[in-house]
Amino acid sequence: MKNWVTDIKPQTIFLIIGLIYGLGFLLANPPLLGVDNEGEHYDKALYLSDGYVIPEIFDHHAGYYVPQGAYNLEVKFYTLRNMHKKIGVDDILSSLNQPLNESNKVFTDVDRTPPIPSTAVSFSAIITYSPLPYLASAFAMTIGKILSFSPIILMYIGRLANLIVWLTFIYLAIRITPVHKWVLLMLSLMPMTILAGSSLSADSFAIALSFLVIAIFLNFAFNNNIKNIETKEIGILFILMIMLALSKQTYLFLIFLFFIIPTNKFVNRNRMFIIFIILFLSTFLISIYWNMDVNRFYLPTFLHVSIPLQTSFIESNPLNFINIIINTILTKNIVLSIITSFIGDFRGYTIYLPNWLITFYFILYPSMLTLTALLDKSDIIVDIKQKLIILITFITVFVLICISMYLTGTPVGQNTINNIVGRYFIPIAPLLFLVLYNNKIKFNIGKGYNLIIISVIIFSLTIALYLLVTGNFNL
């Protein structure tokens, strides 16, 4: 029994824990409040389930037409949240039989969803997202509508569909990657990762797909059974990179990991660069085409925010923007918020975590991730050049995320960046820890340390799940 426990594969551990706690988080998070602006993701999936892709404009606002029943569900639970009231069992039960009322459609303004005060900030960037991250939840909702499910049941099966895709992609990523399986496991089973994975948010798809893309690149680079990058491998990369580009555009630049693959697997350097250029240009152009088509719907309403003026500000002094990023990182409250919301601080959602748990997440979990990155080794050697490419890729995407937040959510010229959420960096986190990879430390992670990892994961997820239930529901 002991050998079975210590020798169990990381992907199996992920599937067991991810499924159990994923379902727990799916149910423990109040309707439409699983992550910030989940209601807007719900509207988008519902709209897509009706066969519509492009948003609509009504009275100078961009949004979607959704059934009256779905709109009423949003009003009900957003109102409870705004009144800082816990949700009772009756609130859920009374919604189970609420009709969808598809014949009566209501326009939902993505800029300011009606139940939210008009002074609230805009999350309208969702209006520009492609339908790809919503296909699973939209398909589930389509089936649900055929079966005459209520709006709240449609929400739950939409979350379930996203969870299944999330579990599948990350299971494959952990199984495929030849290095850092335990690191990927720990990143995948952080409370914040599971919170996103079991929600209707596009981040569920983006995180899981990013992990899979990183794993595929690592497999192509270090799997000795793959002697040459042929049409099959190129086709896999092409499909995955298009999916990633249509998931969230900034993560497209994970394509730079292409250069960790040894040149001899492409026969020669010229063929390698030709393949990369074709891959990059085709995926980049597809992404640009989609964004050009939907950017006309983007209506930012943050005070003193102007994308054109902010872009001009950055272009006039790009080095100054590096200082802005550094100022943001060095600002204590901001960096604390980034790290805790990266791992599992739900304070931005519906509950407050106790200080001792925040300290646990802030100190112990990152420390264990770092230690695991040093100990989680194999016979594979990642050379300095490959680590440099990995680090450059991480920095590139990190900076692009910061630029995105600076353009869309920060007043022009401000010396720090607003609205940076830690979970935006989860998709690229494996790259940072890969820089620490080495196979010189003589330590077998399977002789006890893996049990410590599993115990810490279960402990943190159990506490988080308990707090979600007791913090959100009036039991």
Side-chain angles (χ1 to χ4, degrees):
M1 181 68 177
K2 182 179 178 181
N3 289 337
W4 180 85
V5 173
T6 56
D7 294 339
I8 192 169
K9 296 179 180 179
Q11 60 266 29
T12 305
I13 288 291
F14 165 77
L15 203 56
I16 295 171
I17 297 178
L19 179 60
I20 293 172
Y21 284 94
L23 290 172
F25 276 52
L26 184 155
L27 296 172
N29 280 298
L32 307 176
L33 302 175
V35 293
D36 51 306
N37 56 289
E38 190 180 25
E40 285 85 349
H41 294 289
Y42 175 66
D43 291 341
K44 193 174 182 79
L46 268 177
Y47 187 70
L48 183 61
S49 72
D50 284 333
Y52 301 107
V53 175
I54 303 299
E56 301 188 45
I57 291 180
F58 176 77
D59 193 23
H60 305 292
H61 292 282
Y64 314 104
Y65 284 96
V66 299
Q68 179 71 56
Y71 176 83
N72 292 342
L73 184 73
E74 294 180 50
V75 171
K76 177 178 180 177
F77 286 99
Y78 273 109
T79 300
L80 287 172
R81 184 189 68 175
N82 292 338
M83 295 173 66
H84 304 289
K85 286 187 175 182
K86 288 188 177 182
I87 295 171
V89 175
D90 289 342
D91 294 318
I92 301 292
L93 294 179
S94 63
S95 299
L96 293 177
N97 296 320
Q98 178 184 336
L100 186 61
N101 196 2
E102 275 200 275
S103 60
N104 186 16
K105 296 291 179 71
V106 178
F107 182 81
T108 57
D109 180 355
V110 178
D111 294 333
R112 297 186 180 117
T113 303
I116 302 177
S118 60
T119 54
V121 295
S122 167
F123 295 110
S124 60
I126 294 171
I127 207 80
T128 67
Y129 291 178
S130 88
L132 183 63
Y134 301 94
L135 287 180
S137 55
F139 177 76
M141 290 179 185
T142 300
I143 301 299
K145 287 191 290 187
I146 293 173
L147 298 174
S148 301
F149 287 165
S150 64
I152 194 170
I153 297 298
L154 293 181
M155 183 218 64
Y156 281 124
I157 64 172
R159 283 182 178 179
L160 180 61
N162 276 5
L163 177 64
I164 291 171
V165 172
W166 180 84
L167 286 168
T168 302
F169 280 8
I170 297 183
Y171 172 83
L172 291 173
I174 298 174
R175 182 179 178 181
I176 290 170
T177 181
V179 295
H180 272 189
K181 291 179 182 289
W182 287 96
V183 172
L184 201 54
L185 171 79
M186 290 189 70
L187 290 170
S188 301
L189 294 179
M190 295 187 302
M192 183 57 69
T193 317
I194 295 187
L195 182 75
S198 59
S199 74
L200 293 172
S201 171
D203 288 329
S204 173
F205 187 83
I207 291 171
L209 182 60
S210 296
F211 283 3
L212 181 57
V213 166
I214 291 171
I216 291 289
F217 275 120
L218 292 173
N219 187 50
F220 287 174
F222 301 114
N223 188 339
N224 291 328
N225 293 324
I226 300 177
K227 304 296 182 182
N228 297 298
I229 303 299
E230 303 290 355
T231 304
K232 175 185 174 182
E233 288 77 20
I234 295 170
I236 291 172
L237 288 177
F238 180 74
I239 292 171
L240 288 176
M241 292 312 303
I242 287 179
M243 291 171 64
L244 196 57
L246 292 176
S247 171
K248 282 201 172 181
Q249 195 172 12
T250 51
Y251 303 131
L252 163 64
F253 292 88
L254 287 174
I255 198 171
F256 290 151
L257 293 174
F258 182 89
F259 292 107
I260 68 173
I261 303 174
T263 305
N264 58 16
K265 290 194 175 186
F266 295 93
V267 180
N268 59 62
R269 190 175 298 274
N270 288 339
R271 184 172 181 268
M272 180 182 187
F273 276 98
I274 290 172
I275 293 172
F276 173 78
I277 291 170
I278 292 172
L279 277 174
F280 180 77
L281 287 181
S282 56
T283 53
F284 184 74
L285 290 175
I286 289 172
S287 175
I288 291 297
Y289 176 79
W290 170 260
N291 278 275
M292 287 178 63
D293 191 42
V294 297
N295 275 346
R296 57 196 168 99
F297 297 106
Y298 186 66
L299 303 169
T301 57
F302 286 103
L303 188 62
H304 305 308
V305 171
S306 169
I307 294 177
L309 291 178
Q310 198 75 290
T311 302
S312 298
F313 176 79
I314 295 174
E315 290 175 345
S316 64
N317 194 348
L319 293 179
N320 184 52
F321 184 69
I322 302 300
N323 289 329
I324 291 171
I325 294 177
I326 294 172
N327 288 338
T328 302
I329 294 173
L330 295 179
T331 301
K332 182 180 178 180
N333 291 339
I334 294 178
V335 72
L336 178 63
S337 174
I338 292 172
I339 294 177
T340 51
S341 63
F342 173 88
I343 297 170
D345 180 8
F346 306 143
R347 289 181 296 175
Y349 305 104
T350 54
I351 65 171
Y352 285 86
L353 297 185
N355 289 332
W356 68 265
L357 190 58
I358 293 174
T359 302
F360 169 82
Y361 287 147
F362 185 69
I363 297 175
L364 180 58
Y365 211 93
S367 299
M368 282 199 64
L369 272 168
T370 303
L371 181 61
T372 305
L374 292 169
L375 300 179
D376 191 4
K377 65 184 187 302
S378 64
D379 294 331
I380 292 168
I381 297 175
V382 183
D383 62 35
I384 297 298
K385 177 187 173 183
Q386 289 168 319
K387 286 187 177 182
L388 184 60
I389 293 170
I390 290 169
L391 182 60
I392 290 172
T393 303
F394 173 84
I395 293 173
T396 300
V397 180
F398 182 92
V399 170
L400 287 172
I401 293 171
C402 291
I403 291 174
S404 175
M405 295 300 98
Y406 196 65
L407 291 175
T408 60
T410 307
V412 177
Q414 184 172 293
N415 65 352
T416 56
I417 305 170
N418 292 344
N419 304 304
I420 295 186
V421 179
R423 78 169 184 274
Y424 297 157
F425 301 104
I426 293 176
I428 60 171
L431 304 183
L432 183 61
F433 291 102
L434 273 168
V435 177
L436 300 175
Y437 173 84
N438 76 92
N439 57 359
K440 295 181 180 179
I441 298 177
K442 304 302 179 182
F443 183 84
N444 187 348
I445 205 170
K447 291 186 175 181
Y449 183 68
N450 56 350
L451 294 181
I452 296 175
I453 292 174
I454 294 168
S455 299
V456 169
I457 288 172
I458 292 175
F459 172 77
S460 63
L461 290 177
T462 301
I463 294 296
L465 185 57
Y466 171 79
L467 290 170
L468 281 172
V469 172
T470 57
N472 286 316
F473 293 92
N474 186 17
L475 299 175

